[in-house]
Amino acid sequence: MIRILRGHFYCFLAIFLLITSDSVLSDSKTDQPEPRHILGWVESIRLEPWGLKMLARIDTGANTSSMSARDIHQFKKGNKDWVRFILDFGTEKGKPTRTVEIERPLLRSHKIKQHSGISQERLIIAMDVCLANEIHKVEFNLIDRRALNYPILLGRRALAGIALVDSSRTHLSKADCGHVKKKKKKHDQSDELAIPE
């Protein structure tokens, strides 16, 4: 009888410990928002506030995000460090590449380890990006990506809590964020789009 009671006691104790340890573990998890979107490995984005539309590579293998930049110059604006650079990007296949000059406050510089294993010092800026019809602040390191297919690479930090990635698909989301493309009037071919694409 004592053996039976002892067996029941140990069984009850094991169940109790499992229940309490599960509740302790669930309390210790960090509260991260559930991803709301599924993205493909290439998506359209817009750089805000200008609404500049371009393609971005979605790369869960990269921790940080990068933006194509050439002719990078640091300068002072007031007593703060800023950076000016040229961004070259295509909008669609067959259309010419566009070039814009961008000025942003410099957040910091950071050593980025490349695939070759060599570390490279890069400047870091923050920009608002329209991704999946939502505006998100993303930190970018600046690097010349003109030899690559996409001017923007979005890494894990930019995607955390926002989206999951389906690596077999592309263009699963829109990047409108309130930008409306005006239709050209048939009788007036001189009308231009109000928002650059």
Side-chain angles (χ1 to χ4, degrees):
M1 182 70 165
I2 294 177
R3 284 185 187 168
I4 294 173
L5 289 174
R6 191 178 299 156
H8 286 292
F9 173 75
Y10 286 128
C11 185
F12 174 75
L13 182 62
I15 292 170
F16 176 76
L17 290 174
L18 282 173
I19 292 171
T20 57
S21 67
D22 186 43
S23 66
V24 168
L25 289 175
S26 65
D27 289 343
S28 66
K29 290 180 186 174
T30 57
D31 290 335
Q32 291 219 350
E34 286 293 317
R36 299 179 301 275
H37 305 285
I38 300 203
L39 302 176
W41 68 274
V42 174
E43 292 292 342
S44 291
I45 66 160
R46 286 185 189 263
L47 294 183
E48 300 296 346
W50 313 285
L52 297 171
K53 190 174 183 181
M54 63 196 70
L55 295 177
R57 179 176 170 207
I58 311 299
D59 188 355
T60 59
N63 190 31
T64 59
S65 299
S66 62
M67 175 180 293
S68 187
R70 65 176 169 88
D71 302 333
I72 301 170
H73 299 288
Q74 287 182 252
F75 64 98
K76 289 278 189 188
K77 198 178 221 184
N79 60 354
K80 294 188 176 179
D81 291 322
W82 279 62
V83 63
R84 178 185 303 118
F85 61 94
I86 303 293
L87 167 65
D88 298 304
F89 65 98
T91 54
E92 296 173 22
K93 284 190 176 181
K95 290 194 175 180
T97 300
R98 294 192 57 196
T99 298
V100 294
E101 184 177 81
I102 296 177
E103 290 184 0
R104 300 299 298 165
L106 179 64
L107 297 181
R108 64 188 177 281
S109 62
H110 187 70
K111 285 196 176 190
I112 305 289
K113 195 171 197 178
Q114 297 177 316
H115 290 293
S116 63
I118 300 169
S119 291
Q120 183 183 47
E121 192 80 21
R122 295 190 195 169
L123 303 178
I124 309 292
I125 62 164
M127 294 194 73
D128 287 335
V129 172
C130 174
L131 174 67
N133 271 342
E134 296 177 351
I135 305 280
H136 303 280
K137 187 167 285 300
V138 177
E139 288 189 2
F140 291 100
N141 64 71
L142 301 178
I143 182 76
D144 192 342
R145 295 180 55 87
R146 286 179 293 171
L148 302 172
N149 291 331
Y150 305 101
I152 301 286
L153 181 139
L154 293 176
R156 290 190 305 273
R157 283 187 191 161
L159 302 171
I162 296 171
L164 298 174
V165 179
D166 182 344
S167 62
S168 67
R169 300 173 72 192
T170 61
H171 305 289
L172 298 179
S173 70
K174 293 190 179 230
D176 294 332
C177 294
H179 298 282
V180 179
K181 186 175 180 179
K182 290 186 177 180
K183 293 183 180 178
K184 289 185 179 181
K185 297 176 185 173
K186 288 184 182 178
H187 64 279
D188 187 2
Q189 294 298 324
S190 64
D191 284 351
E192 294 295 325
L193 299 179
I195 302 298
E197 293 201 81

